Amino acid sequence: MAVRKKSSREEWEEQSQAGKQPARGRGRTISGMPIEPLYTPDDLRGWSYEEKLGYPGHFPYTRGVYHSMYRGRPWTIRQFAGYGTAEETNRRYKFLLSQGQAGLSVAFDMPTLMGYDSDDPLSRGEVGHCGVAIDSLEDMETLFGGIRLDTITTSMTINSPAAILYAMYIAVGEKSGVKPAQLGGTLQNDILKEYIAQKEYIFPPEPSMRLVVDTIVFAAREMPRWNPVSISGYHIREAGSTAIQELAFTLADGMAYVEATIKAGMPVDDFAPRLSFFFDSHIDFFEEIAKFRAARRLWAHIMRDRYQAKDPRSWILRFHTQTAGVSLTRQQVENNISRTAYEALAAVLGGTQSLHTNSMDEVLALPTERAAQIALRTQQVLAHETGVTETIDPLAGSYYLEHLTDEMERGARRYFERVDEQGGVLACIENGFFQREIADAAFEFERQLEANERIVVGVNAYQEKEGSPVPTLKIGRETEQGQVRRVKAVRERRDNTSVQNRLVELKVAARGSQNLMPALIDCVRAYATEGEIMAALKEVFGVYREPILF
Amino acid sequence: MAVEKKVAAGGRGAHQKWRVLTCKVGLDGHDRGVKVVSRALRDAGVEVIYAGLRQTPEMVVEAAIQEDVDAIGVSLHSGAHMTLIPRILELLKERDASEIIVFGGGIIPEDDALELKRLGVAEIFGPGTSLQAIVEFVNRGFQQAA
Amino acid sequence: MGPGYTAGVSYDESEMNLAGDLLAGDVRALARAISLAEDRDPQATALVAELQAHTGRAHLVGVTGSPGGGKSTLVDALVRVIRERGRTVGVIAVDPSSPFTGGAVLGDRVRMSRHTLDKGVFIRSMGARGHLGGLAAATREAIHLLDASGRDVIVVETVGVGQSELEISSLCDTVVLVLMPESGDAVQSIKAGILEIADVYVVNKADLSGAEKARRLIQDAVAMAPKKPWQPPILLASAVKEEGIGPVWEAIESHRAFLRQSGGLEERRRERLKQEVIALVAESAREDARRAVEGDTPVGRLLRDNRNGRLNPYSLAADVRAMRPARGAEN
């Protein structure tokens, strides 16, 4: 009787279980997806290259959105920056431009992000701290003083008051002879994720969506070089979600914007090519790469099949990535340099269009110059020394990665169904679905850390006695005082009757249904302050009170 | 393990249970930390009154007094801690409520944390603090570790 | 001075000062008094007894309904309406405590954040602390204290689980039941006999599709129930949009006016007093029983040494009742 010879696989299985040693490690990704010790062709049975991957720059874009990807042009290094006064930031911008950087990124302070002028009592202690303070057009003019707006692109990270800052940017351009159509840049302007994660909301969801749609429509008609929304997963992830949740909730938000804009009468191909995305790159290496690839594939199908977009540019998911702030530790901050490097590598292997790498001390305060420089160099080493840019989507075909990409897609689709069942994104925001999912994931994350089921070097393993405090950047009080003086001076110098009239016109427009951008541009031209404009809109739209969930 | 009645730890009054007000001051909305800590305190037997985002120092102190809490846990991420936390301490003093203990968390650099403790804050828990450390702090009656 | 006080407590909590300060409108005194009530401290009972003469003025409104119905948001909107009409308000928001840890996250106050700095509004969050029926034992006393402190309206908000709807009706003049538009919610309430208790129905989140259907369901059920002198209005509202809140408050006021005219107010007060006496006696009897079976008593020792489980609880209970420990001995 012949004994069947054991297959190599069976032999390996026996050997790897010899001694019945328990598996080391978690056996799961950081998001909880199970990981087998080994992946083989068996895991990709029925998998088709043409269907699942295709070619770069071709549907479904899994391998990349452009034909040549980094072989043609590397990703854009776009380090988020900004602090203090418009003057100081203007100086920093001029320096960066002189060093060859062509993309500027504006970070605003909390009062500006929340729609308060620098002299508002609620702004006390926060002016100029985590970004630049912009109260009126005058500050914007100072911010870009001496810089030709048609020679750069600018990314503005702002949400609830985004339309106002957008109007200011346009007004600055016009005053210096640059037409709106010549302006290039990106506005984050993703209000849905504010309700879900970052909580920098002001108005309730419906009027907020109206404002976003107004900016998308305005950009589609007047500003072909402008990306009016950067649909964000970063904040959702930082709030504690899993990778699948980040992927699913972000794309769901994207779908909500697409649907709202179509409903406002815009044909999908008129605006969809200019939608862009913003993801986190976290520390679980392969899961992140799978996430980025799944995102491209999902969005391509969604745009072509669900929304019948015909223009291939509408199918393309372009994205910016930031390495995960939440993965950085206060203990042994230098370790954060390594973490950021791994996360940057994942983003690049995942095909990101632009990248921000965190500085090691960002967990403590705004980065020092030295730390910011190391973060920049990290990208440069990656781009020039590692060789990962020499070929496109180098990890394609990996049994593990393709399996993981498929799992990511499956998980996201399951969430899409649940969102649809509950009536869409706005309904889910109202009933707290996203917030609950995130709160649970965040708590589970924390629990694993506490139970040492998850190791973070320096925190629950390889600890060191705390050394002396790392020097951090301090913002002095003079910034606030100076800014308060400046905004008061603007209010005195301008034609206040004109301001009042423009604000009334804005309110009338807001009560109606016309696009608010022209009225906003008029208001900022008259030097109405951001706080005044927001107050006028709050009168019409009301303010949002969130459902509190644990 | 439920926290034993505060009498053993020399509690402020005759409360049966620790009552703690948790809140975020400052304009930002990073509530992951304060929510996780609130849950952890609940699991340790504390009655947590969650006061929410974007509270001003005036609102925090008024709520703390109405709720007759033993301690206030403030979470800050926007860099305004050297303005807002001392203001809370000042207001507590004005209302004759300085026995309410204040502790903080979030993004607070270590040298600022030392200064805040000098001003009367019981403890500052930076990023990466274990939940267990916070629960132990409560068990000690909100006293700093020896 | 009770147990547990440490040196350095700056607030003098002797009974006389608390009462006086509370009556004078001092917020800290009121807050401290409620804490004493929550701790079931005998001082609290004495304080409430002393302040009896100053109670009976406030309109007591209970707001209940299943979790997620938007009660806190509705109460927040109601408080605004009440304040617009120039009245002062006290809110008691009760949330369940964890049966395992005894802790709680009390998340009602956060929804009323905008009223924090209004001197005419006092908000207190309470954990149910294992009280059967969901309402904290101290809620009664907290109501008395708020009443004595001069609040015109006292709103008690609680989650409608188990018997707490019944309890709330025994504590308040007017009971408002808040329902969600999903038809399941309305049907469940009808099944559970809540119809007997509610004086005003509010179908919240009225912008959702099931709202009108829910209203009709309740209307039909009310129509089929035995006719009572007060026909509870069924209102649609959206608390988060602050729509329909004025009519809700007007309905609450109408109910109060109705009670006054019909003598119902007095009847409720009498019933309440009766329930309160029963509750106080029951509470102290429960405490006595607990001490008896857990303490160093013959019954206690018997229960602890019990190995073969043959003891008869009925005869033991009779023994405990017969024991009657002396008042004031080693508390």
Side-chain angles (χ1 to χ4, degrees):
Chain A
M1 183 173 65
V3 175
R4 183 175 66 74
K5 185 178 186 304
K6 266 188 264 193
S7 75
S8 321
R9 168 115 201 181
E10 283 166 331
E11 274 186 30
W12 171 80
E13 268 171 13
E14 264 179 34
Q15 284 159 353
S16 66
Q17 269 154 49
K20 304 281 190 225
Q21 278 175 5
R24 269 194 65 246
R26 291 192 305 267
R28 298 190 161 269
T29 66
I30 217 175
S31 301
M33 305 223 300
I35 308 177
E36 296 299 314
L38 189 74
Y39 287 85
T40 66
D42 287 343
D43 294 288
L44 293 183
R45 278 219 202 92
W47 186 89
S48 147
Y49 179 87
E50 295 294 335
E51 184 205 324
K52 295 285 191 178
L53 300 191
Y55 289 85
H58 283 261
F59 191 92
Y61 303 97
T62 317
R63 304 201 69 178
V65 290
Y66 301 126
H67 299 112
S68 52
M69 286 303 287
Y70 306 137
R71 284 189 58 113
R73 201 171 64 130
W75 67 90
T76 305
I77 296 177
R78 194 184 290 278
Q79 298 292 84
F80 187 56
Y83 57 92
T85 62
E87 251 147 20
E88 288 164 318
T89 312
N90 175 263
R91 275 198 292 277
R92 167 73 67 104
Y93 285 163
K94 284 181 168 139
F95 170 73
L96 290 169
L97 290 172
S98 76
Q99 298 290 299
Q101 190 172 313
L104 297 180
S105 176
V106 190
F108 299 94
D109 69 359
M110 277 313 306
T112 307
L113 292 173
M114 293 305 296
Y116 295 109
D117 290 338
S118 301
D119 61 343
D120 192 298
L122 287 168
S123 304
R124 191 178 40 178
E126 305 212 47
V127 177
H129 271 250
C130 57
V132 68
I134 302 285
D135 292 320
S136 74
L137 184 61
E138 185 180 279
D139 293 315
M140 206 64 162
E141 289 171 299
T142 308
L143 186 64
F144 292 102
I147 299 173
R148 287 278 308 174
L149 293 189
D150 53 348
T151 61
I152 55 159
T153 60
T154 302
S155 167
M156 291 194 276
T157 302
I158 185 151
N159 295 280
S160 290
I164 299 173
L165 279 296
Y166 190 31
M168 286 187 190
Y169 192 78
I170 292 167
V172 170
E174 280 177 344
K175 282 187 106 175
S176 59
V178 180
K179 293 205 201 21
Q182 298 170 279
L183 296 171
T186 304
L187 208 49
Q188 192 168 89
N189 196 21
D190 171 8
I191 194 61
L192 290 174
K193 65 101 167 49
E194 297 302 330
Y195 298 112
I196 293 170
Q198 187 164 241
K199 318 281 172 107
E200 285 170 16
Y201 46 70
I202 299 169
F203 313 121
E206 274 153 36
S208 298
M209 283 297 277
R210 180 260 183 93
L211 271 172
V212 175
V213 171
D214 282 356
T215 55
I216 295 175
V217 169
F218 186 83
R221 290 196 182 128
E222 314 279 344
M223 300 178 65
R225 296 183 63 212
W226 194 270
N227 302 306
V229 198
S230 182
I231 305 159
S232 306
Y234 179 80
H235 318 78
I236 294 174
R237 192 65 187 276
E238 295 286 302
S241 82
T242 62
I244 291 184
Q245 289 166 348
E246 180 194 348
L247 176 62
F249 298 169
T250 307
L251 295 194
D253 287 347
M255 289 193 257
Y257 292 128
V258 168
E259 283 168 27
T261 310
I262 291 175
K263 202 157 156 211
M266 271 255 133
V268 66
D269 287 314
D270 283 3
F271 67 89
R274 278 287 163 199
L275 297 175
S276 62
F277 289 80
F278 172 29
F279 287 113
D280 200 299
S281 186
H282 214 297
I283 193 70
D284 193 306
F285 189 69
F286 289 108
E287 187 177 56
E288 295 302 288
I289 302 170
K291 178 185 80 187
F292 300 129
R293 298 166 91 247
R296 278 193 294 271
R297 188 198 294 161
L298 277 163
W299 191 248
H301 277 283
I302 287 167
M303 291 310 288
R304 188 192 69 173
D305 304 334
R306 183 162 163 148
Y307 298 112
Q308 270 88 53
K310 299 281 180 283
D311 185 343
R313 289 173 306 164
S314 300
W315 303 337
I316 287 170
L317 182 145
R318 299 170 296 127
F319 67 100
H320 170 75
T321 306
Q322 178 163 342
T323 58
V326 81
S327 67
L328 306 183
T329 61
R330 177 182 57 89
Q331 299 87 330
Q332 301 171 43
V333 288
E334 294 85 354
N335 295 339
N336 293 330
I337 299 173
S338 318
R339 294 189 177 99
T340 300
Y342 298 134
E343 290 160 358
L345 179 60
V348 164
L349 290 172
T352 189
Q353 275 55 65
S354 65
L355 179 61
H356 166 103
T357 33
N358 288 330
S359 305
M360 65 174 162
D361 53 3
E362 239 164 291
V363 78
L364 296 172
L366 285 176
T368 55
E369 281 222 10
R370 179 83 190 105
Q373 188 183 49
I374 294 175
L376 178 63
R377 297 281 179 257
T378 302
Q379 291 200 45
Q380 289 161 337
V381 168
L382 184 53
H384 298 291
E385 295 181 31
T386 65
V388 299
T389 57
E390 294 297 327
T391 190
I392 301 169
D393 190 31
L395 294 180
S398 149
Y399 307 118
Y400 178 39
L401 185 66
E402 297 304 349
H403 166 82
L404 211 51
T405 306
D406 288 354
E407 280 300 304
M408 282 276 157
E409 185 181 344
R410 263 192 284 274
R413 286 194 183 281
R414 269 196 294 272
Y415 267 117
F416 295 155
E417 274 166 28
R418 289 173 71 182
V419 170
D420 278 341
E421 271 164 30
Q422 295 177 73
V425 169
L426 286 184
C428 286
I429 286 172
E430 193 167 325
N431 75 25
F433 172 65
F434 298 123
Q435 295 91 312
R436 259 193 308 271
E437 292 285 304
I438 293 171
D440 287 345
F443 197 66
E444 174 58 19
F445 207 72
E446 215 48 58
R447 188 201 63 75
Q448 284 175 10
L449 186 63
E450 295 278 321
N452 289 349
E453 282 168 29
R454 196 165 59 77
I455 299 295
V456 176
V457 173
V459 174
N460 61 356
Y462 310 106
Q463 292 111 321
E464 270 169 34
K465 212 165 97 72
E466 298 294 324
S468 47
V470 174
T472 54
L473 190 70
K474 300 290 161 106
I475 310 288
R477 299 280 165 95
E478 323 79 52
T479 305
E480 180 167 335
Q481 287 153 6
Q483 194 62 22
V484 167
R485 273 196 301 272
R486 230 188 316 274
V487 68
K488 288 197 201 293
V490 165
R491 288 203 203 99
E492 265 164 50
R493 270 202 313 267
R494 65 191 185 182
D495 176 356
N496 279 291
T497 316
S498 173
V499 170
Q500 289 317 306
N501 289 341
R502 300 288 90 74
L503 289 173
V504 168
E505 281 161 14
L506 176 67
K507 280 192 265 191
V508 169
R511 278 188 236 278
S513 59
Q514 65 252 60
N515 194 308
L516 288 176
M517 283 308 296
L520 285 169
I521 295 172
D522 285 341
C523 284
V524 305
R525 273 211 207 100
Y527 291 91
T529 66
E530 189 205 23
E532 287 161 350
I533 298 174
M534 289 304 281
L537 290 174
K538 276 188 230 184
E539 265 182 57
V540 178
F541 294 151
V543 293
Y544 181 67
R545 263 114 46 79
E546 75 154 339
I548 310 295
L549 288 137
F550 277 84
Chain B
M1 186 210 78
V3 174
E4 253 317 307
K5 179 174 164 166
K6 299 167 323 203
V7 170
R12 179 175 72 89
H15 281 183
Q16 290 282 343
K17 288 196 187 299
W18 294 115
R19 282 171 66 89
V20 178
L21 185 94
T22 59
C23 60
K24 267 200 66 63
V25 286
L27 289 174
D28 72 290
H30 296 99
D31 61 357
R32 172 182 182 166
V34 69
K35 283 193 175 168
V36 164
V37 167
S38 299
R39 268 164 95 147
L41 289 176
R42 172 198 62 194
D43 291 347
V46 176
E47 275 181 0
V48 181
I49 294 109
Y50 175 63
L53 300 175
R54 291 184 264 274
Q55 300 295 293
T56 63
E58 289 76 12
M59 289 163 80
V60 169
V61 169
E62 180 63 36
I65 288 175
Q66 287 184 19
E67 299 285 358
D68 196 31
V69 298
D70 300 289
I72 299 170
V74 188
S75 171
L76 279 138
H77 292 80
S78 65
H81 46 273
M82 292 314 286
T83 310
L84 298 175
I85 297 186
R87 181 80 184 121
I88 291 176
L89 293 171
E90 198 180 293
L91 286 168
L92 284 172
K93 190 149 172 229
E94 273 171 35
R95 300 286 295 271
D96 214 3
S98 290
E99 73 273 16
I100 298 180
I101 289 155
V102 177
F103 65 98
I107 308 263
I108 298 174
E110 285 175 40
D111 42 356
D112 287 347
L114 289 168
E115 174 63 13
L116 288 170
K117 284 194 227 180
R118 210 187 53 77
L119 290 172
V121 172
E123 193 57 87
I124 298 282
F125 296 105
T129 304
S130 75
L131 297 177
Q132 192 51 35
I134 298 176
V135 169
E136 277 163 17
F137 171 67
V138 173
N139 281 356
R140 284 196 301 270
F142 303 96
Q143 307 299 315
Q144 291 177 24
Chain C
M1 292 283 241
Y5 286 94
T6 54
V9 172
S10 62
Y11 196 78
D12 183 344
E13 281 159 1
S14 75
E15 200 189 287
M16 288 306 286
N17 284 355
L18 260 189
D21 290 342
L22 189 149
L23 288 172
D26 183 40
V27 169
R28 290 203 70 207
L30 176 56
R32 290 258 69 224
I34 295 176
S35 296
L36 291 172
E38 282 193 292
D39 291 339
R40 314 313 293 136
D41 189 308
Q43 270 192 91
T45 323
L47 189 58
V48 170
E50 190 196 324
L51 292 170
Q52 261 319 100
H54 300 271
T55 63
R57 219 178 53 83
H59 183 180
L60 310 179
V61 180
V63 177
T64 187
S66 42
K71 286 184 301 300
S72 295
T73 316
L74 181 69
V75 171
D76 170 68
L78 271 174
V79 168
R80 173 164 154 201
V81 166
I82 295 170
R83 291 297 292 139
E84 273 168 13
R85 285 158 175 59
R87 312 269 190 72
T88 58
V89 188
V91 178
I92 299 169
V94 186
D95 269 336
S97 300
S98 160
F100 306 109
T101 70
V105 174
L106 308 175
D108 298 301
R109 178 181 204 101
V110 60
R111 283 165 242 239
M112 306 178 207
S113 203
R114 59 176 164 165
H115 300 294
T116 306
L117 293 179
D118 181 348
K119 293 284 173 224
V121 180
F122 182 97
I123 299 169
R124 179 68 175 234
S125 313
M126 297 175 87
R129 295 195 184 179
H131 185 81
L132 293 174
L135 269 184
T139 309
R140 260 198 179 85
E141 275 157 26
I143 292 174
H144 290 313
L145 292 166
L146 281 169
D147 195 351
S149 81
R151 310 291 153 166
D152 299 320
V153 181
I154 298 170
V155 179
V156 180
E157 183 206 328
T158 180
V159 174
V161 286
Q163 304 284 30
S164 63
E165 287 98 339
L166 285 171
E167 258 205 275
I168 211 176
S169 76
S170 75
L171 286 179
C172 298
D173 299 324
T174 306
V175 177
V176 179
L177 180 62
V178 182
L179 297 148
M180 282 184 284
E182 287 102 54
S183 55
D185 206 27
V187 169
Q188 288 294 55
S189 307
I190 292 163
K191 276 194 202 168
I194 307 301
L195 283 195
E196 308 294 310
I197 292 154
D199 302 303
V200 177
Y201 291 91
V202 179
V203 177
N204 196 17
K205 310 193 187 184
D207 47 319
L208 293 183
S209 62
E212 190 48 48
K213 181 173 170 192
R215 197 177 73 80
R216 270 198 307 272
L217 261 170
I218 301 168
Q219 210 163 37
D220 292 342
V222 168
M224 286 198 301
K227 285 279 167 283
K228 287 199 293 202
W230 170 261
Q231 284 301 301
I234 303 155
L235 302 163
L236 296 179
S238 168
V240 85
K241 295 189 176 157
E242 298 200 77
E243 285 165 3
I245 311 299
V248 173
W249 177 245
E250 267 132 42
I252 294 171
E253 294 240 88
S254 297
H255 182 249
R256 165 109 154 158
F258 164 80
L259 285 178
R260 267 225 186 80
Q261 283 155 13
S262 65
L265 199 60
E266 288 315 307
E267 201 186 300
R268 287 224 177 177
R269 296 278 161 90
R270 276 196 297 274
E271 183 60 30
R272 232 182 355 256
L273 199 60
K274 195 172 76 175
Q275 292 298 331
E276 187 157 7
V277 171
I278 294 175
L280 286 168
V281 172
E283 191 182 353
S284 95
R286 168 175 247 105
E287 201 34 46
D288 288 347
R290 197 191 56 77
R291 252 186 258 120
V293 306
E294 285 175 9
D296 191 22
T297 60
V299 173
R301 284 192 289 273
L302 201 60
L303 281 165
R304 275 191 299 280
D305 298 337
N306 175 37
R307 290 277 177 271
N308 59 12
R310 291 291 182 89
L311 299 175
N312 184 333
Y314 293 92
S315 49
L316 284 175
D319 291 344
V320 169
R321 272 199 295 277
M323 262 165 68
R324 279 211 193 291
R327 274 277 141 269
E330 333 79 49
N331 274 3

